[in-house]
Structure formats: C-alpha cells, structure tokens
Amino acid sequence: METQITIKYAVEKCVEELYTTRAKLTARSYKSGLDRFIEFLEEHELPKDALLSKLSMEHFIGFPAWLAEQGYAKKGAQLRNFAAKALLDWLVVNGHVQ
C-alpha cells in the first residue's frame, strides 16, 4: 500500500529522474518549469506541501493559461508546459495517477 506523498516530494523525485534520463541542460530547464508550476499551484491555494491527491487534471489544464497571463512568450510557455507534462508522465508511470 502506497503512503500519501506531497506535491513537493513528487516534483523532487521527478526532477531527480529527469537528471538521469535527460541532458543536463534539458533537466535544468524542466526543473525551472516545474518551479513555475509550483508557483502556479500555490497561487491557486495548493501549497507544495499538500498531499499529491489534491492535485487534479484541472491544475495541468489551467497552467498554460496562467503562463500566458504571466507574460511568457509562446516558446517560453511551451517549455514550461512540457515540464508540467513531464511531471504528469512521471506520476502516471510511477502509479500515482491513472
């Protein structure tokens, strides 16, 4: 039986894996994108220390619009959104979401 983990823990584990599976500069860019995703979640009253079960698909869906509101250019927003997708992929592969 899996114990409940926090969003912060999941992001940290995802980033660790990115550093082992991607080029160093790519992993660093994705980490920066995930930092923005955490910022987005916190602005939407979901602290990084919240349980992962509080994270929903609506958060991933709303992230690109938030990036646009923050003034990110299309390419910059796209890179940050790829980072959020990498987290979602990691969550699925590791059995945290279906």
Side-chain angles (χ1 to χ4, degrees):
M1 182 171 144
E2 177 185 326
T3 58
Q4 292 292 325
I5 64 172
T6 64
I7 294 168
K8 178 183 175 185
Y9 178 84
V11 168
E12 288 171 355
K13 290 298 175 186
C14 177
V15 168
E16 283 178 20
E17 189 170 304
L18 288 169
Y19 272 101
T20 64
T21 60
R22 307 284 171 110
K24 187 176 181 179
L25 288 176
T26 301
R28 190 178 311 156
S29 293
Y30 276 38
K31 182 190 179 313
S32 175
L34 288 172
D35 289 344
R36 295 298 73 72
F37 187 62
I38 292 289
E39 183 181 331
F40 161 76
L41 294 175
E42 289 181 336
E43 281 191 21
H44 288 84
E45 300 182 11
L46 186 59
K48 63 186 171 192
D49 292 328
L51 291 178
L52 187 59
S53 59
K54 301 288 184 187
L55 186 62
S56 70
M57 285 304 296
E58 285 73 26
H59 293 110
F60 289 96
I61 293 167
F63 185 51
W66 180 83
L67 290 169
E69 290 170 7
Q70 302 305 305
Y72 284 98
K74 187 175 180 179
K75 291 272 185 191
Q78 188 176 42
L79 176 63
R80 286 158 182 85
N81 200 45
F82 284 156
K85 184 185 179 310
L87 173 61
L88 182 58
D89 290 345
W90 183 89
L91 292 170
V92 170
V93 167
N94 288 280
H96 298 293
V97 297
Q98 293 185 358

